[in-house]
Amino acid sequence: MACAFCDIIAGRRPATLVYEDERVAAFHDIHPAAPVHILVIPREHISGPDALAAGDATLAGHLIVVAGRIAQDLGIAADGYRLVLNEGRQGGQSVFHVHLHLLGGRRMSWPLG
Ligand code: AMP
Ligand code: ZN
């Protein structure tokens, strides 16, 4: 099945990458919801948070650690930022390749809509 984020990993679709290693990649969201809006994704296709298996725990943690490093690099860590994982339609997921949103550069409201 075609997957936009697998296409980015494979270099078949353009993206503005900010970080890459052997397990994950990170790039700017095409429709930013904040001054800084980065998506951190595994290279492996996993459809969403609910599809993460026990064996993916280190990978899932790595997504968070990488997001924190990017927040530092982009200068938003001191003021704070938000990390979001959306699951399924009610959760607001629109791309079914698991991705961690890193949002910052403005004050976030709570609770979410
Ligand atoms: P979600 O709604 O949690 O599934 O988030 C999907 C995110 O992917 C949205 O914020 C989209 O703007 C973003 N997005 C979709 N296609 C692309 C793309 N080709 N490059 C970068 N970001 C994308
Ligand atoms: Zn994929």
Side-chain angles (χ1 to χ4, degrees):
M1 193 182 79
C3 170
F5 289 177
C6 282
D7 284 349
I8 288 173
I9 292 291
R12 291 188 295 265
R13 184 186 292 263
T16 308
L17 291 161
V18 295
Y19 178 87
E20 272 189 289
D21 65 24
E22 66 283 356
R23 288 177 285 171
V24 306
F27 49 88
H28 286 274
D29 195 293
I30 204 166
H31 297 301
V36 173
H37 189 171
I38 302 291
L39 303 174
V40 190
I41 72 171
R43 292 187 176 280
E44 177 189 352
H45 181 88
I46 298 169
S47 61
D50 197 60
L52 289 165
D56 298 319
T58 303
L59 176 63
H62 189 55
L63 294 174
I64 297 173
V65 171
V66 165
R69 184 183 307 177
I70 295 168
Q72 292 279 351
D73 289 348
L74 297 182
I76 59 169
D79 284 339
Y81 55 86
R82 179 167 289 168
L83 301 178
V84 175
L85 280 172
N86 293 327
E87 167 60 41
R89 299 199 186 284
Q90 292 242 68
Q93 187 179 5
S94 61
V95 176
F96 292 87
H97 179 134
V98 68
H99 49 280
L100 181 62
H101 294 257
L102 164 63
L103 297 144
R106 67 168 170 83
R107 179 173 286 276
M108 300 293 155
S109 60
W110 189 263
L112 290 170

